[in-house]
Amino acid sequence: MYVFKAAVIGAGTMGAEIAQVISLSGLPVILKDVDAKQLERGLKHIKGIYARRVQRGRMTEREAEDHFALVTGQLDYQGFSDVDLAIEAVPEKLDLKRSVLREIEANLPRTAIIATNTSALPVSEIAEGLEKPSRFLGLHFFFPASVMRLVEVIGGQATDQETIDSGVEFVEGIRRIPVRVKECPGFLVNRVLMAGLAEVFRAERDLGLEPARIDAAVAASGLAPMGPYALADALGLDIAQEVSQTLQAAYGERFALGERIAGLIAEGKRGAKSGQGFYTYTG
Ligand SMILES: NC(=O)c1ccc[n+]([C@@H]2O[C@H](COP(=O)([O-])OP(=O)(O)OC[C@H]3O[C@@H](n4cnc5c(N)ncnc54)[C@H](O)[C@@H]3O)[C@@H](O)[C@H]2O)c1
């Protein structure tokens, strides 16, 4: 199915980034929130991404304006009647997602595809209550979506093949790399990532290594753009811990991140967003 117009519901950290990626590909996209301040912040964030592209000489000011004009920010469902694909990016709470998705479905044409950007909730469970769960799937973008190329495409039990294929085509169309994954706790990327983080944190504890030295060594190796501690701070230590707990419940203790991270969270040090995590952040 060709997507002529898209929508993103939730203009927060992920929603704004996803809407920017869609607009950069030349598709019109509605960015909807329930909170005017959040919507304003989301739109400002998108403008900032385009401004940086202009500064770096990757597009002209005129091109940036034209792309930004493809994003329509709004607080209601106006214009949803000809949206082909909508991506839900509201907070990671099952009940909230279910009720927002029912609302979205009621405002879309019957042929439309609906996706969730959930990090960890089972797609099949979120789909409960939808009239057409066959048209529902997971499209899991990573933060920051404007930079990260990979998108996990996750079918739930009721998702039909055409919807998965359309999801894959859509992701390719917005110049991202789709990876089809099975519905399972952590999907693919978070399982790999969390297994790696847990292993490094164990080595730090057992061998008495210094986080800053580990980060420097990883960055110097070229294996990853940043080391595991800087990454955990960027993700949010509380978020990393939540994901780790989900994975521990499903696969066992090897996904445990250790006591040091639990201690930092207990002290209110939740990573970059709180000004302090493994590192201190100012400004
Ligand atoms: N932050 C990340 O690094 C990351 C990465 C991948 C996936 N995710 C997933 O993406 C989703 C969104 O996460 P986020 O970090 O962007 O959250 P966020 O809190 O930054 O943004 C959520 C937005 O949803 C809005 N919202 C709440 N209720 C709404 C409703 N009824 N209708 C419309 N908008 C509503 C909020 O006002 C807010 O702007 C979650 O499922 C999360 O697990 C997050």
Side-chain angles (χ1 to χ4, degrees):
M1 187 182 99
Y2 191 80
V3 175
F4 290 94
K5 182 175 171 187
V8 177
I9 296 83
T13 310
M14 288 307 290
E17 289 265 332
I18 296 169
Q20 189 274 332
V21 173
I22 295 172
S23 67
L24 182 62
S25 76
L27 272 185
V29 56
I30 296 175
L31 181 61
K32 181 195 180 300
D33 207 289
V34 282
D35 180 332
K37 276 203 178 128
Q38 280 290 104
L39 181 60
E40 200 182 307
R41 274 178 56 177
L43 291 170
K44 205 171 152 196
H45 182 77
I46 298 174
K47 218 171 197 172
I49 297 175
Y50 279 122
R52 284 192 293 281
R53 289 184 74 87
V54 172
Q55 270 167 18
R56 290 180 191 144
R58 298 183 71 181
M59 57 174 38
T60 64
E61 247 173 63
R62 178 65 203 268
E63 282 166 342
E65 275 167 23
D66 288 349
H67 282 285
F68 182 67
L70 290 168
V71 184
T72 307
Q74 59 190 57
L75 298 169
D76 57 21
Y77 282 101
Q78 206 185 333
F80 271 61
S81 59
D82 61 350
V83 163
D84 304 300
L85 186 143
I87 302 172
E88 165 276 308
V90 304
E92 190 81 340
K93 292 187 185 117
L94 183 60
D95 289 346
L96 174 68
K97 284 194 186 288
R98 279 182 178 158
S99 81
V100 172
L101 283 160
R102 277 199 293 270
E103 215 177 84
I104 297 170
E105 188 178 49
N107 284 281
L108 287 178
R110 290 187 65 75
T111 51
I113 291 174
I114 309 178
T116 175
N117 185 49
T118 183
S119 306
L121 295 169
V123 172
S124 301
E125 279 185 37
I126 303 177
E128 274 173 33
L130 282 179
E131 251 178 59
K132 293 186 85 181
S134 59
R135 308 288 287 163
F136 178 69
L137 80 168
L139 289 182
H140 185 206
F141 291 75
F142 296 90
F143 180 78
S146 56
V147 177
M148 302 296 278
R149 308 297 286 181
L150 208 67
V151 179
E152 289 176 324
V153 179
I154 311 129
Q157 281 159 18
T159 312
D160 64 26
Q161 191 57 44
E162 193 197 333
T163 299
I164 295 185
D165 293 342
S166 296
V168 167
E169 278 167 31
F170 170 73
V171 170
E172 286 171 343
I174 58 170
R175 302 192 200 107
R176 288 295 177 268
I177 302 165
V179 52
R180 294 178 196 230
V181 299
K182 277 195 177 175
E183 181 178 38
C184 62
F187 308 132
L188 171 68
V189 172
N190 277 337
R191 269 173 83 168
V192 174
L193 174 67
M194 286 297 152
L197 283 186
E199 191 58 35
V200 174
F201 292 2
R202 262 193 299 277
E204 170 218 316
R205 184 196 60 199
D206 295 347
L207 305 174
L209 302 172
E210 263 306 302
R213 286 191 63 193
I214 297 176
D215 274 359
V218 171
S221 73
L223 273 174
M226 63 173 88
Y229 296 90
L231 178 64
D233 271 0
L235 283 175
L237 300 188
D238 50 339
I239 304 288
Q241 182 77 320
E242 256 174 43
V243 177
S244 140
Q245 280 161 354
T246 306
L247 293 172
Q248 281 179 70
Y251 308 115
E253 269 187 25
R254 67 182 195 278
F255 284 95
L257 295 181
E259 278 160 25
R260 180 159 181 182
I261 198 168
L264 288 170
I265 296 167
E267 289 170 29
K269 297 171 180 169
R270 296 179 296 121
K273 63 187 170 189
S274 68
Q276 176 80 50
F278 289 105
Y279 299 99
T280 301
Y281 300 83
T282 49

